């Protein structure tokens, strides 16, 4: 009896030893307890998806994460951890070669023609051949009108000075003022920045130069004197840079720069997009319903590159033959005629609309810029 009582007492007391409310001592935790407390691999791998932090902020090293790979039987294993490269993969060699071949094909399909100044021997003939092939609509105009020639040479400073003096003046008035201006400076060879700056506004006003034009002449001379502009720099400057630099001079706008580049520097690829007569010629050539805007001119005349200056001369002749107001080319051609014929030509002109008259005033500045004539 005594032994049975002891056995029952031990059996009743053993289950009460590890109570749930009292955590056991650390040393007494067995393997079963570790399995219950430690998170499963699924819990670790799902942790990044439960937070907004990117995978790069996981406090474990990548090699430890790789060790905790989930079971392949888990249906969510494909959405566990995705390794993203730091840098995008480079294009395959085949794609690079295909892209380079496409660029080379485009370059070969549109060969670039190195145009020279139009005053160079044979350059106008080369321009005419190119325009015939590039635009069949120009061929009849080339056959109908005489080809332009560019054989007058002036220093850039003198040409710009003459352009300013002839602004908004008829030929007779402009020629009279220019002659007195040259005499005041001591001759065309003496029309240099220092001589122009030496003339006071009062002296210039006495020979018919307005106060505004006097300020334009002085601004041009100062930019030469300060080294901003020079004849050598203007001659060697590319078209875009030259346009930017010359339009910085007071009194010289985009139209004046384009005319200067064509008729004084003989640049081969200048498109005067703001010239009314030029735009009218393009409208007639392509049978457009409306006058093309300056922003459209670049696209319409792209095929004429790199001889858009020569094409512009034919556009001026074409629009003039259709009754459009006298153009820059006609005025430039008039510069080679005797003065009496020039006056008779002006007397035969009919009264123009105010807008057209303003255009005629500005076109008259080309008379003594003029390096474009029409020859056989």
């Amino acid at each position: 009896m005594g032994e049975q009582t002891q056995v029952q007492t031990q059996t009743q007391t053993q289950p009460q030893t590890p109570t749930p409310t009292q955590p056991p001592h650390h040393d007494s935790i067995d393997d079963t307890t570790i399995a219950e407390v430690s998170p499963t691999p699924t819990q670790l791998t799902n942790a990044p998806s439960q937070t907004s932090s990117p995978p790069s902020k996981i406090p474990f090293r990548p090699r430890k994460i790789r060790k905790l790979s989930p079971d392949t039987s888990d249906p969510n294993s494909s959405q566990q951890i995705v390794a993203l490269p730091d840098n995008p993969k480079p294009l395959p060699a085949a794609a690079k070669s295909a892209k380079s071949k496409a660029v080379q094909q485009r370059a070969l399909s549109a060969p670039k023609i190195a145009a020279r100044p139009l005053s160079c021997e044979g350059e106008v003939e080369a321009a005419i051949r190119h325009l015939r092939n590039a635009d069949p609509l120009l061929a009849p105009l080339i056959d109908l009108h005489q080809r332009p020639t560019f054989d007058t040479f002036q220093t850039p400073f003198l040409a710009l000075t003459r352009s300013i003096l002839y602004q908004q003046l008829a030929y007779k008035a402009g020629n009279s003022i220019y002659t007195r201006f040259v005499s005041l400076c001591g001759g065309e060879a003496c029309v240099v920045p220092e001589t122009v700056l030496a003339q006071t506004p009062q002296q210039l006003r006495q020979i018919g130069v307005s106060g505004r034009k006097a300020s334009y002449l002085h601004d041009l001379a100062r930019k030469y004197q300060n080294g901003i502009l020079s004849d050598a720099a203007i001659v060697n400057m590319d078209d875009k840079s030259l346009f930017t630099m010359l339009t910085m001079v007071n009194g010289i706008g985009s139209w004046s720069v384009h005319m200067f580049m064509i008729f004084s520097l003989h640049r081969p690829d200048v498109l005067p997009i703001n010239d009314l007569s030029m735009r009218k010629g393009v409208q007639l050539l392509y049978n457009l319903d409306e006058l093309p805007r300056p922003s459209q001119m670049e696209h319409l005349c792209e095929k004429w590159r790199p001889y858009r200056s020569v094409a512009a001369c034919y556009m001026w002749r074409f629009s003039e033959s259709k009754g459009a107001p006298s153009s820059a080319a006609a005025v430039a051609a008039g510069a080679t005629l005797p003065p009496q014929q020039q006056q008779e030509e002006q007397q035969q002109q009919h009264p123009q609309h105010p807008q057209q008259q303003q255009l005629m005033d500005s076109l008259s500045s080309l008379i003594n810029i003029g390096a474009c004539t029409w020859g056989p």
Side-chain angles (χ1 to χ4, degrees):
M1 290 294 291
E3 294 177 357
Q4 294 177 357
T5 304
Q6 292 178 356
V7 171
Q8 293 177 357
T9 303
Q10 292 176 357
T11 304
Q12 294 176 358
T13 57
Q14 283 178 358
Q16 298 178 358
T17 303
T19 59
T21 57
Q22 296 178 358
H25 194 271
H26 181 71
D27 295 337
S28 64
I29 296 178
D30 55 4
D31 296 337
T32 304
T33 306
I34 295 176
E36 294 177 356
V37 176
S38 302
T40 62
T42 304
Q43 291 175 341
L44 283 176
T45 55
N46 287 338
S49 63
Q50 297 175 358
T51 61
S52 60
S53 60
S56 61
K57 294 184 179 180
I58 298 177
F60 300 102
R61 290 182 296 178
R63 61 183 183 182
K64 288 187 177 182
I65 294 176
R66 287 195 295 270
K67 286 182 180 180
L68 297 176
S69 58
D71 188 5
T72 56
S73 63
D74 190 355
N76 297 325
S77 61
S78 60
Q79 302 177 0
Q80 302 293 322
I81 299 175
V82 178
L84 296 176
D86 295 336
N87 298 321
K89 294 181 179 180
L91 291 176
K96 288 184 178 180
S97 61
K99 185 177 180 180
S100 61
K101 289 181 180 179
V103 173
Q104 292 176 359
Q105 290 177 357
R106 287 197 299 268
L108 292 175
S109 61
K112 186 177 180 180
I113 302 175
R116 301 177 300 168
L118 295 173
S119 55
C120 294
E121 183 178 359
E123 196 63 20
V124 174
E125 289 76 8
I128 291 175
R129 287 194 300 268
H130 171 77
L131 294 174
R132 282 182 183 275
N133 297 328
D135 192 349
L137 293 178
L138 283 179
L141 300 181
I142 294 173
D143 295 334
L144 180 62
H145 300 288
Q146 296 176 338
R147 68 177 182 86
T149 59
F150 301 83
D151 52 8
T152 303
F153 297 92
Q154 302 163 351
T155 63
F157 182 79
L158 177 61
L160 292 171
T161 301
R162 299 175 88 169
S163 175
I164 293 174
L165 289 173
Y166 272 86
Q167 287 178 2
Q168 300 180 349
L169 293 177
Y171 171 74
K172 185 177 181 179
N175 185 62
S176 177
I177 292 176
Y178 177 75
T179 301
R180 293 196 294 266
F181 175 79
V182 170
S183 178
L184 181 65
C185 293
E188 284 190 338
C190 297
V191 180
V192 293
E194 293 76 13
T195 306
V196 173
L197 287 174
Q199 312 305 322
T200 65
Q202 292 76 14
Q203 291 175 310
L204 294 174
R205 192 176 294 112
Q206 289 176 358
I207 62 173
V209 180
S210 66
R212 179 172 296 180
K213 286 187 179 181
S215 66
Y216 296 163
L217 293 172
H218 285 168
D219 185 63
L220 174 65
R222 287 193 200 94
K223 284 181 170 56
Y224 262 79
Q225 194 176 52
N226 296 336
I228 299 175
L229 293 173
S230 67
D231 285 350
I234 288 175
V235 170
N236 296 320
M237 212 176 292
D238 62 89
D239 292 350
K240 186 176 180 180
S241 301
L242 181 60
F243 182 89
T244 302
M245 296 301 294
L246 290 183
T247 51
M248 293 172 57
V249 180
N250 295 336
I252 297 181
S254 61
W255 186 88
S256 298
V257 175
H258 287 151
M259 298 302 105
F260 169 75
M261 292 168 68
I262 295 174
F263 298 121
S264 294
L265 300 182
H266 310 155
R267 297 288 175 94
D269 194 35
V270 179
L271 183 67
I273 58 176
N274 295 316
D275 185 85
L276 181 60
S277 185
M278 171 75 184
R279 293 163 59 194
K280 185 64 177 178
V282 173
Q283 180 189 11
L284 295 171
L285 180 67
Y286 296 120
N287 196 22
L288 303 177
D289 294 333
E290 297 180 352
L291 194 70
R293 296 187 300 272
S295 59
Q296 296 174 314
M297 292 288 289
E298 289 281 353
H299 174 70
L300 292 171
C301 306
E302 180 66 24
K303 63 181 70 174
W304 299 343
R305 287 181 182 271
Y307 293 109
R308 293 181 295 178
S309 299
V310 177
C313 292
Y314 283 104
M315 288 299 97
W316 286 322
R317 281 300 192 189
F318 182 43
S319 61
E320 184 185 20
S321 67
K322 296 297 183 179
S326 183
S327 62
V331 176
T336 63
L337 299 176
Q340 183 177 359
Q341 295 185 22
Q342 294 174 0
Q343 295 176 13
E344 291 176 357
E345 183 181 6
Q346 291 182 356
Q347 291 174 358
Q348 292 174 359
Q349 292 178 352
H350 299 287
Q352 302 289 341
H353 185 274
Q355 183 180 2
Q356 296 177 350
Q357 184 61 42
Q358 183 179 5
L359 174 65
M360 286 297 303
D361 291 340
S362 61
L363 287 174
S364 63
S365 65
L366 282 176
I367 294 173
N368 275 322
I369 296 178
C372 175
T373 60
W374 297 81

